[in-house]
């Protein structure tokens, strides 16, 4: 191999890291930790811990750099301070990125996770050979990786493709980003899980209940509830699907993917 790098994912409530070779193949198992809260210092502690454990591997000690994919602008951006005022200049030495550089003496680059996913698909996956394409990253949040004229679009603030924060419902719920009726408040996994919990607690239409100590239903179970005749679950999924479809239709119109 030509060398190794470390891939670091900062999700909504999880930090993962793995060593990869320059063909994008993982070397060994990923290290995973969950911060005890969603504040930047908690994530920083997790990042430092997971990287120190990873550096036990000989390949990690040969790494030529660290790449960070972060989940959502509404949580926090490890590279810059997010502000509603885009005229605010970025912090010249971001705390997380700079601390990693200083601790491990390696180059560090951070980008949003949807753009990173699109880059991976463009180089080695379903978008390979495509000059113009879109990649939907649907997990806890919702993001869109954009390939335009053979290049990944990151945006000046690394927020390009954050369709999870498109305002879809003027009368919807407040989002953590400060807007109202964002797509993520309707169609993301965390939003569906929260609403599924409400259905479970009230018995739904088909008496789908769990003991209070057990986890809330996953999206797959929510689909099963709808298939079993639960009207609340069915209506929730219809609303989520329509909102997501509307956002994708807008994106397709704007970017004209292949």
């Amino acid at each position: 191999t030509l060398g190794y790098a470390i891939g670091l994912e900062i999700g909504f409530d999880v930090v993962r890291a793995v060593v990869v070779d320059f063909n994008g193949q993982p070397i060994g198992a990923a290290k995973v930790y969950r911060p005890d809260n969603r504040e930047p210092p908690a994530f920083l502690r997790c990042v430092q811990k997971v990287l120190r454990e990873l550096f036990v591997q000989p390949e990690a000690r040969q790494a030529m750099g660290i790449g960070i994919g972060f989940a959502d602008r509404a949580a926090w951006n490890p590279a810059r301070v997010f502000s509603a005022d885009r005229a605010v200049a970025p912090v010249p030495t971001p705390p997380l990125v700079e601390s990693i550089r200083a601790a491990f003496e390696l180059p560090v680059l951070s980008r949003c996770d949807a753009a990173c996913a699109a880059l991976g698909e463009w180089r080695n996956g379903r978008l390979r050979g495509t000059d113009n394409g879109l990649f939907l990253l649907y997990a806890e949040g919702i993001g869109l990786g954009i390939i335009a004229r053979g290049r990944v679009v990151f945006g000046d603030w690394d927020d390009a493709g954050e369709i999870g924060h498109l305002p879809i419902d003027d009368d919807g719920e407040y989002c953590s980003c400060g807007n109202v009726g964002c797509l993520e408040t309707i169609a993301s996994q965390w939003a569906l899980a929260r609403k599924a919990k409400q259905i479970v607690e009230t018995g739904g239409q088909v008496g789908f209940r769990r003991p209070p100590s057990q986890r809330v239903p996953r999206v797959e179970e929510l689909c099963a509830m709808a298939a079993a005749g639960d009207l609340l679950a069915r209506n929730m999924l219809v609303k989520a699907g329509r909102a997501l479809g509307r956002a994708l239709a807008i994106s397709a119109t704007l970017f004209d993917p292949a």
Side-chain angles (χ1 to χ4, degrees):
T1 181
L2 296 175
Y4 302 97
I6 293 173
L8 178 66
E9 176 192 358
I10 301 178
F12 272 66
D13 59 357
V14 68
V15 173
R16 296 184 182 91
V18 68
V19 179
V20 296
D21 63 25
F22 276 17
N23 293 317
Q25 297 300 312
I27 308 296
K31 302 292 184 181
V32 182
Y33 283 98
R34 295 186 181 277
D36 51 17
N37 62 68
R38 292 189 176 183
E39 295 301 316
F43 278 90
L44 177 56
R45 289 192 295 271
C46 271
V47 167
Q48 292 172 334
K49 184 173 183 178
V50 77
L51 287 177
R52 288 194 183 100
E53 289 195 8
L54 206 61
F55 269 89
V56 173
Q57 296 180 222
E59 294 86 357
R61 294 195 292 271
Q62 301 175 47
M64 301 176 69
I66 299 173
I68 301 174
F70 60 91
D72 185 64
R73 74 177 191 186
W76 60 294
N77 181 329
R80 302 185 181 190
V81 175
F82 176 73
S83 169
D85 180 5
R86 292 307 180 96
V88 175
V91 176
T93 55
L96 175 63
V97 171
E98 189 60 30
S99 68
I100 295 174
R101 287 193 187 118
F104 300 98
E105 298 181 344
L106 286 172
V108 180
L109 184 65
S110 64
R111 293 289 186 268
C112 69
D113 56 357
C116 294
L119 176 60
E121 291 292 335
W122 181 64
R123 292 194 61 180
N124 298 300
R126 288 164 287 182
L127 292 176
R128 190 169 186 175
T130 300
D131 285 336
N132 299 285
L134 301 174
F135 181 82
L136 176 66
L137 185 62
Y138 181 83
E140 286 296 310
I142 304 172
L144 195 70
I146 304 166
I147 307 293
R149 296 188 175 183
R151 297 177 66 89
V152 180
V153 177
F154 296 110
D156 190 50
W157 286 73
D158 290 327
D159 273 345
E162 282 286 358
I163 63 168
H165 296 287
L166 283 177
I168 298 295
D169 185 358
D170 291 341
D171 300 317
E173 301 177 28
Y174 281 97
C175 181
S176 57
C177 72
N179 291 330
V180 175
C182 288
L183 176 63
E184 283 193 4
T185 66
I186 304 169
S188 67
Q189 290 190 17
W190 65 260
L192 291 174
R194 183 179 63 186
K195 293 170 183 176
K197 183 175 183 292
Q198 296 171 357
I199 294 176
V200 170
E201 290 173 345
T202 58
Q205 297 295 316
V206 292
F208 189 95
R209 291 184 179 272
R210 289 178 182 274
S213 61
Q214 291 192 19
R215 58 174 172 73
V216 299
R218 297 189 302 267
V219 173
E220 295 84 353
E221 293 172 304
L222 187 62
C223 293
M225 292 164 65
D230 191 310
L231 295 179
L232 292 175
R234 185 177 300 173
N235 291 338
M236 186 192 311
L237 290 173
V238 167
K239 182 178 181 179
R242 285 175 176 168
L244 182 58
R246 186 177 300 121
L248 290 175
I250 292 170
S251 302
T253 301
L254 287 173
F255 295 105
D256 189 25

